[in-house]
């Protein structure tokens, strides 16, 4: 696939998830006791899939799952830790430094990558390696960065078999795609409508606990990288303890915000109430407030429904700003200047 074809990559997410599951199912890991904790090493687009899974399993996993975005590894990492090194290119220096440190500490390491230095080191070290297909921008490879984590955590006894939820997700994404694709006119296209609301405004994306806050963050980063625009993300209930106060002083900038509330009927009543009361507090100060509702039976399907909507919104916002959604010149520049 052409890394410059962001629309095609977003369009292909259902097939990408299917293919990711086919590949992940082939992965086997050496037998061993359940890890004391799991840490996924990754940056940017290669971290978000794991962070979504960590949020998804937060309430049920029998061991903590953390995502480490930075150099090295957290201090507690040791022989009883599962460490997953996730880098789409395989050449991200922060992730490679964590991989080396985890190996030095005798952790159980797994690598997920398209190739690069990470694949080379994993092969040389005899570390289990899941090779995912290349040719995408890492952020567009969300299926390849998320689905394998479910397989790895299942093999490690941290979650049940994800297959039924993956099948539901793929089927639902296909139906959602038919409602969001470019040929569907704005009046009937939720993603186009949201993009029109956010255009020339500062997007403020609010999610809630667990994966819902991470999906809000994914919206923000997709707007940053695809639409080349600033955006903010936050999550309930935490934002009710700080950000909610930030509307009190009349400020010219407040009126530039357009908020999108990422809602889920499965959210507990106190969270629903927080969304509603917060919207009342903000409404007089912001340009507008939109709501987007998760769809699906399984949590995974609901997660992907909001994520997929956000990916389309960032794409249509890029078109409204007349920018190419694919290149990330500032990231490339930083990587080459730091190399
Ligand atoms: C670019 C993107 C970035 C990269 C990040 C780490 O599309 O999403 O956030 O994911 O710079 O690079 P990789 O994923 O190759 O380890």
């Amino acid at each position: 696939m052409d890394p410059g074809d962001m629309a095609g990559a977003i369009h292909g997410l259902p097939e990408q998830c299917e293919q990711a599951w086919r590949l992940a199912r082939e992965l086997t890991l050496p037998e061993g006791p359940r890890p004391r904790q799991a840490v996924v090493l990754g940056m940017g687009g290669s971290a978000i899939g794991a962070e979504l899974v960590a949020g998804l399993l937060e309430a049920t996993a029998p061991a903590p799952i953390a995502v480490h975005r930075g150099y090295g590894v957290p201090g507690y990492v040791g022989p009883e830790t599962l460490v997953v090194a996730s880098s789409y290119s395989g050449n991200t220096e922060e992730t490679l430094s964590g991989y080396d440190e985890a190996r030095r500490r005798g952790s159980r390491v797994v690598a997920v990558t398209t190739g690069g230095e990470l694949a080379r080191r994993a092969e040389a070290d005899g570390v289990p390696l899941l090779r995912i297909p290349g040719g995408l921008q890492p952020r567009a490879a969300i299926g390849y960065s998320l689905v394998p984590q479910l397989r790895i955590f299942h093999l490690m006894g941290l979650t049940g078999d994800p297959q039924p939820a993956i099948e539901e997700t793929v089927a639902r994404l296909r139906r959602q795609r038919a409602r969001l694709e470019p040929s569907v006119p704005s009046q009937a296209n939720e993603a186009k409508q949201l993009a029109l609301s956010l255009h020339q405004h500062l997007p403020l994306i609010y999610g809630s606990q667990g994966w819902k806050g991470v999906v809000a963050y994914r919206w923000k980063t997709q707007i940053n990288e695809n639409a080349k625009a600033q955006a903010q993300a936050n999550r309930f209930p935490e934002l009710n303890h700080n950000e909610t106060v930030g509307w009190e002083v009349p400020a010219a900038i407040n009126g530039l915000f357009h908020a999108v509330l990422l809602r889920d009927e499965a959210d507990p009543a106190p969270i629903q109430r927080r969304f509603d009361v917060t919207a009342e507090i903000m409404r007089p100060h912001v340009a507008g407030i939109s709501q987007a509702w998760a769809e699906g039976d399984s949590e995974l399907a609901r997660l992907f429904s909001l994520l997929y909507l956000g990916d389309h919104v960032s794409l249509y916002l890029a078109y409204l700003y007349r920018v190419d959604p694919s290149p990330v010149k500032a990231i490339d520049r930083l990587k080459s200047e730091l190399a």
Side-chain angles (χ1 to χ4, degrees):
M1 179 152 222
D2 172 9
D5 181 12
M6 185 55 68
I10 290 175
H11 191 80
L13 185 63
E15 290 69 32
Q16 188 189 123
C17 288
E18 223 168 25
Q19 170 70 355
W21 180 240
R22 266 198 295 270
L23 292 171
R25 263 192 344 209
E26 304 289 305
L27 179 74
T28 52
L29 297 176
E31 298 273 314
R34 198 163 67 201
R36 187 186 278 267
Q37 66 276 114
V39 177
V40 183
L41 312 172
M43 302 303 297
S46 291
I48 190 88
E51 201 152 354
L52 287 160
V53 171
L56 196 66
L57 304 183
E58 189 178 85
T60 53
I65 300 171
V67 179
H68 181 71
R69 296 170 182 258
Y71 293 90
V73 295
Y76 55 77
V77 166
E80 290 173 87
T81 313
L82 166 71
V83 174
V84 184
S86 165
S87 169
Y88 192 72
S89 62
N91 292 322
T92 298
E93 63 178 30
E94 298 94 319
T95 311
L96 289 170
S97 90
Y99 170 90
D100 289 343
E101 183 57 25
R103 291 271 308 148
R104 213 178 55 75
R105 296 187 190 197
S107 306
R108 293 156 75 183
V109 181
V110 184
V112 180
T113 183
T114 60
E117 182 59 22
L118 182 59
R120 199 197 60 70
R121 288 186 201 179
E123 272 171 355
D125 298 338
V127 159
L129 167 66
L130 180 65
R131 264 188 203 268
I132 50 177
L136 293 165
Q137 283 280 349
R139 64 187 181 282
I142 184 77
Y144 291 128
S145 72
L146 189 155
V147 170
Q149 308 292 338
L150 288 171
R151 168 72 177 169
I152 293 167
F153 296 143
H154 172 55
L155 290 173
M156 286 287 159
L158 301 181
T159 186
D161 182 359
Q163 175 143 350
I166 291 171
E167 283 170 2
E168 188 210 352
T169 299
V170 171
R172 281 187 179 272
L173 283 177
R174 286 206 172 101
R175 293 202 289 275
Q176 195 182 5
R177 173 167 64 194
R179 289 185 272 127
L180 299 181
E181 64 189 3
S183 61
V184 179
S186 302
Q187 313 87 277
N189 189 322
E190 189 184 4
K192 286 187 179 176
Q193 279 177 22
L194 282 163
L196 285 165
S197 309
L198 295 176
H199 183 223
Q200 308 291 12
H201 289 108
L202 283 166
L204 193 57
I205 316 296
Y206 285 169
S208 56
Q209 282 184 206
W211 61 262
K212 291 160 205 177
V214 189
V215 171
Y217 182 71
R218 163 78 175 181
W219 276 56
K220 170 203 147 47
T221 57
Q222 287 290 79
I223 292 170
N224 293 151
E225 292 181 67
N226 290 342
K228 283 48 179 182
Q230 283 302 339
Q232 273 191 38
N234 211 332
R235 57 174 70 189
F236 290 99
E238 173 63 18
L239 73 89
N240 283 154
H241 299 272
N242 34 65
E243 187 158 324
T244 318
V245 187
W247 305 109
E248 263 178 38
V249 173
I253 204 164
N254 284 353
L256 294 176
F257 284 105
H258 185 104
V260 182
L261 311 181
L262 304 184
R263 311 244 1 211
D264 184 358
E265 275 170 7
D267 271 337
I271 292 282
Q272 305 284 11
R273 190 87 188 107
R274 283 179 186 277
F275 271 107
D276 295 337
V277 177
T278 305
E280 279 169 37
I281 293 171
M282 289 164 56
R283 192 162 278 115
H285 308 284
V286 296
I289 301 177
S290 305
Q291 306 206 70
W293 290 87
E295 298 165 28
D297 298 323
S298 63
E299 290 229 39
L300 186 70
R302 295 209 300 283
L303 178 162
F304 266 102
S305 72
L306 285 175
L307 181 143
Y308 203 37
L309 177 64
D311 282 7
H312 280 86
V313 171
S314 69
L315 186 69
Y316 295 135
L317 204 49
Y319 296 158
L320 288 168
Y321 284 128
R322 298 177 192 283
V323 291
D324 181 346
S326 294
V328 279
K329 283 188 228 145
I331 297 178
D332 295 342
R333 179 181 160 185
L334 275 154
K335 284 187 177 177
S336 72
E337 288 196 16
L338 287 168

